[in-house]
Amino acid sequence: MSDHIVIVAERKGTTLRRVTLEAITAAITLLHGQSGTIHAFLSGSDNDNSLISSANELLQYGVHEVHIAKHAHFEPYQATVVLPALTDVIRELQPKYVVIGHTSHGRELAPRLAAALHSGYIADVTTIESSADKASFVRPIYAGKAFERRHFQGVAPYVLSIRPNNNAPAILVEPVEITNPDEHIHQVNCEGIQLSSIVQHVVKRINEEIDLTEAEIIVAGGRGVRGPEGFAILKQLADELGGAVGASRAACDAGYCDYALQIGQTGKVVTPKLYIACGISGAIQHLAGMSQSRTIVAINKDREAPIFSIADYGIVGDLFEVVPLLTTQLREIRQ
Ligand SMILES: Cc1cc2nc3c(=O)[nH]c(=O)nc-3n(C[C@H](O)[C@H](O)[C@H](O)COP(=O)(O)OP(=O)(O)OC[C@H]3O[C@@H](n4cnc5c(N)ncnc54)[C@H](O)[C@@H]3O)c2cc1C
């Protein structure tokens, strides 16, 4: 067993996702200055020429070796289709850890990989505590009300998924002149991939300009927003701040916005630097998705609303007055 670490690289279009760079940071933490190599697994369609530039980028962020798996059926992404290629790479490299982003892709892939390898899996890791001979992993439990510290035992490789937006992303190391990238970029043999089903078409329900799970600022609306027009007001504030719009389940259920915006226990888990909750009461299921935000601002006309108990700043008032005022003030400051 080596001290190598494999990260599973994720891209949005042709761009590496921030969580991939955070996975590199996690791998560096796990190496703890010891000798060992960081490998990245990158998958995509067989005619995707941008994979090579992503691989080169990974090398510049401190990854030592990149393994590219290309297949006609790897795009659109399906965990079950990519899994055999990834499992082969892991079996060959025998790394100590496999680090995967706790994204919608990663959440599907990581437990399947652990099952295929008969190894342990720790999900949704928020902190890695690593020393030369041991690593512990902290993760939220009971919908974020408590944290537990776990460590692996038994036979590696160990699989962990890291919560996006929680680690600092890897820093672009001094660009290295790679004279022979072929030495660091390897093609994975993907012949004989068995398919039980094929995704024929993916319908994009929403054009998310900023991915909620990676957004640094989120303006979220609840039932208090009263309708799609209310969400337009939130969007203006979000645009002014360069942030994304999120929602409570009640707002989605009421048809005010798309379910893709839902934050919470059964929605997305977000960790922005700033979370502005507008007309959201603060039910435990909503808090499960946003309570790890660095700064929480609540705007609610009910001073007894539970959201105020976790908010860093609270504004008791009507969001239809407060939000446009904030937007105007921000616009004026900018000009
Ligand atoms: C199994 C399960 C899973 C769930 N998963 C989720 C989840 O993932 N995400 C989620 O959000 N919920 C989830 N829920 C639902 C959750 O329990 C709450 O019902 C929901 O979060 C309430 O949403 P809300 O705060 O927008 O609505 P409400 O509780 O109705 O609160 C609306 C708030 O708006 C305020 N308000 C009204 N008008 C104004 C105004 N003009 N200005 C300012 N404030 C105003 C009110 O004072 C009130 O506090 C789940 C529930 C269950 C049972």
Side-chain angles (χ1 to χ4, degrees):
M1 184 64 53
S2 71
D3 277 341
H4 302 325
I5 293 168
V6 172
I7 65 149
V8 175
E10 246 193 76
R11 301 190 309 163
K12 189 170 185 183
T14 56
T15 313
L16 289 174
R17 291 190 65 168
R18 186 188 147 105
V19 71
T20 300
L21 307 186
E22 292 168 358
I24 299 173
T25 309
I28 291 167
T29 309
L30 286 165
L31 281 180
H32 199 76
Q34 310 287 308
S35 65
T37 315
I38 302 173
H39 295 254
F41 175 86
L42 182 64
S43 63
S45 155
D46 54 352
N47 58 13
D48 187 346
N49 298 326
S50 67
L51 285 166
I52 288 289
S53 54
S54 292
N56 278 314
E57 210 182 327
L58 285 164
L59 294 173
Q60 300 216 346
Y61 276 105
V63 167
H64 301 103
E65 307 286 328
V66 183
H67 304 264
I68 298 183
K70 283 168 125 182
H71 194 281
H73 295 304
F74 285 174
E75 190 58 50
Y77 171 88
Q78 287 180 91
T80 46
V81 180
V82 172
L83 184 66
L86 174 61
T87 311
D88 283 351
V89 169
I90 305 293
R91 288 213 175 102
E92 195 190 317
L93 293 173
Q94 290 290 300
K96 189 162 183 188
Y97 296 102
V98 184
V99 184
I100 301 177
H102 197 70
T103 58
S104 50
H105 285 183
R107 273 186 275 181
E108 205 186 346
L109 184 67
R112 288 173 193 269
L113 176 68
L117 297 169
H118 301 288
S119 64
Y121 169 43
I122 300 181
D124 200 14
V125 170
T126 51
T127 308
I128 298 173
E129 297 163 343
S130 175
S131 66
D133 54 353
K134 199 177 166 197
S136 301
F137 303 90
V138 178
R139 61 183 294 269
I141 51 170
Y142 303 124
K145 283 192 118 182
F147 288 86
E148 65 173 11
R149 181 175 286 105
R150 283 180 173 240
H151 66 267
F152 288 105
Q153 63 179 34
V155 182
Y158 307 126
V159 181
L160 61 126
S161 56
I162 56 160
R163 180 175 283 204
N165 254 6
N166 219 75
N167 290 287
I171 299 155
L172 192 65
V173 292
E174 201 53 35
V176 190
E177 195 64 45
I178 298 168
T179 44
N180 190 359
D182 291 354
E183 283 178 12
H184 302 273
I185 298 173
H186 315 278
Q187 300 294 329
V188 178
N189 181 358
C190 297
E191 284 166 21
I193 295 256
Q194 299 286 326
L195 294 175
S196 51
S197 66
I198 296 176
V199 175
Q200 288 189 311
H201 188 51
V202 176
V203 181
K204 280 212 164 182
R205 294 192 62 198
I206 193 156
N207 181 18
E208 268 184 87
E209 290 153 25
I210 304 172
D211 189 320
L212 269 178
T213 57
E214 292 182 356
E216 297 207 332
I217 297 175
I218 294 175
V219 181
R223 195 163 11 213
V225 170
R226 277 195 252 148
E229 322 71 47
F231 269 90
I233 295 173
L234 303 194
K235 176 87 171 71
Q236 285 170 7
L237 178 59
D239 286 348
E240 202 54 45
L241 292 165
V245 174
S248 73
R249 176 158 147 185
C252 300
D253 284 344
Y256 301 167
C257 60
D258 195 282
Y259 277 104
L261 302 189
Q262 186 185 321
I263 290 165
Q265 190 180 321
T266 43
K268 288 182 176 150
V269 175
V270 298
T271 40
K273 286 185 182 154
L274 174 64
Y275 190 88
I276 306 180
C278 311
I280 295 178
S281 60
I284 181 71
Q285 295 88 354
H286 186 76
L287 303 192
M290 48 64 75
S291 59
Q292 298 302 308
S293 306
R294 206 166 307 160
T295 302
I296 299 170
V297 176
I299 304 169
N300 198 304
K301 65 180 184 184
D302 173 11
R303 64 176 62 246
E304 303 294 331
I307 191 80
F308 286 126
S309 64
I310 65 145
D312 298 286
Y313 300 94
I315 302 174
V316 179
D318 187 331
L319 71 91
F320 293 98
E321 290 168 18
V322 177
V323 175
L325 201 61
L326 277 174
T327 311
T328 315
Q329 291 285 310
L330 279 163
R331 214 167 272 155
E332 277 174 20
I333 293 167
R334 290 263 163 78
Q335 279 163 3

